[in-house]
Amino acid sequence: MTHDRRVLVHADKAALITSVATRFLSKITDTLHDQGHANVVLTGGSVATSVLEAINASPDRDSLNWSKIDIWWGDERWVPRGHADRNEVQARAALLDHIDIPAANIHAFPASDEGLDIDAAADRYAAELKALAGPDSPVPQFDVTFLGVGPDGHIASLFPHLQGIRENDLTVIAVLNSPKPPAERLSLTRWVLNSSERIWLVVSGTDKASALGLALAGASRDEVPVAGIRGRHYTDFFVDGEAAAEVPENLIAQPN
């Protein structure tokens, strides 16, 4: 059963980043102890990258057995391999290139210069997900899924009023008309994101306050896609004071 969504407000962006990084290391330590393996879904954006940098800088970084962790992405820009705009490139620079994790455990989306069209790339990532899934699921059990939130309320590459947010069958879609450049992207679908044990939305800045407030006040998923995001057991919004400006007060929890 899905628990209620929680909003944990931090004093500022720096405190937010430190808190999420510390919580991640603690939670994945517990997950590895309990089940021996973890699947983590990463997102892009400056705040998410800063969290990965904070994980990298932590003295507890190497206490994790990274060989038991598989890394996935919620979405990716359809640009060439190694392009600075790829979420994968940013994550590698921030953390993945600095830890002892097998290359096979890093599941990057295909790139635009690898001989596939974008639809075939979506199919390939769907097949990779399926290959590491349990017998009754098309995707692995995601233990922690990071998401950011755009000023328009988009999550991953699922944007307001576009078909992607309404997709209920496919696990991975090609996005051809993103209102935010580049126009072509790959994305996990909403129901796949919602299959995650824990979804952690990390949100900073005044430009996110309206979308966050609307989502938590009951806006529709088509209008504000983040409103349609709920993990299987936990859905936590880690926000700074600026992003929390329009959050209903009764939803705000105290960080611990």
Side-chain angles (χ1 to χ4, degrees):
M1 185 177 77
T2 302
H3 295 261
D4 288 339
R5 294 180 290 186
R6 297 189 304 167
V7 182
L8 298 101
V9 181
H10 301 74
D12 54 31
K13 182 177 178 181
L16 167 67
I17 289 164
T18 299
S19 175
V20 175
T22 300
R23 187 178 293 252
F24 173 82
L25 289 163
S26 175
K27 178 51 63 181
I28 297 301
T29 296
D30 292 345
T31 300
L32 293 178
H33 178 268
D34 292 343
Q35 61 192 42
H37 184 266
N39 283 284
V40 175
V41 180
L42 300 182
T43 187
S46 62
V47 177
T49 300
S50 294
V51 169
L52 297 182
E53 290 171 345
I55 293 168
N56 186 52
S58 171
D60 295 326
R61 182 196 73 181
D62 294 332
S63 67
L64 291 184
N65 183 350
W66 291 96
S67 71
K68 302 298 184 181
I69 301 170
D70 277 83
I71 301 294
W72 306 85
W73 275 266
D75 73 322
E76 188 58 275
R77 297 171 175 92
W78 186 240
V79 293
R81 182 73 64 186
H83 193 289
D85 285 349
R86 277 180 64 90
N87 294 332
E88 174 214 355
V89 169
Q90 296 165 22
R92 286 184 182 278
L95 174 64
L96 301 180
D97 285 347
H98 308 282
I99 56 176
D100 188 15
I101 184 170
N105 290 25
I106 300 174
H107 305 279
F109 276 98
S112 65
D113 59 347
E114 293 179 340
L116 297 172
D117 65 34
I118 193 169
D119 291 318
D123 291 344
R124 176 182 286 184
Y125 206 65
E128 190 167 354
L129 289 163
K130 177 64 175 174
L132 292 182
D136 299 319
S137 174
V139 298
Q141 174 187 296
F142 298 137
D143 298 291
V144 174
T145 292
F146 285 101
L147 290 173
V149 179
D152 61 355
H154 83 265
I155 36 87
S157 284
L158 306 177
F159 292 90
H161 307 297
L162 299 186
Q163 173 58 31
I165 193 63
R166 298 187 289 272
E167 174 60 53
N168 291 319
D169 296 318
L170 299 175
T171 58
V172 184
I173 57 170
V175 177
L176 305 178
N177 52 354
S178 163
K180 180 180 179 182
E184 295 183 328
R185 296 155 175 255
L186 295 160
S187 184
L188 302 186
T189 51
R190 184 182 64 90
W191 73 268
V192 171
L193 296 171
N194 284 350
S195 73
S196 306
E197 295 292 303
R198 299 167 189 82
I199 294 179
W200 289 3
L201 298 109
V202 186
V203 190
S204 173
T206 56
D207 61 329
K208 311 297 177 64
S210 176
L212 191 57
L214 287 168
L216 292 168
S220 76
R221 72 181 191 205
D222 285 354
E223 294 280 345
V224 186
V226 66
I229 291 298
R230 285 182 182 270
R232 291 184 63 238
H233 294 294
Y234 299 96
T235 309
D236 290 333
F237 291 78
F238 299 95
V239 305
D240 63 11
E242 292 182 341
E246 298 183 33
V247 171
E249 198 161 323
N250 64 306
L251 295 180
I252 294 177
Q254 293 301 313
N256 51 38

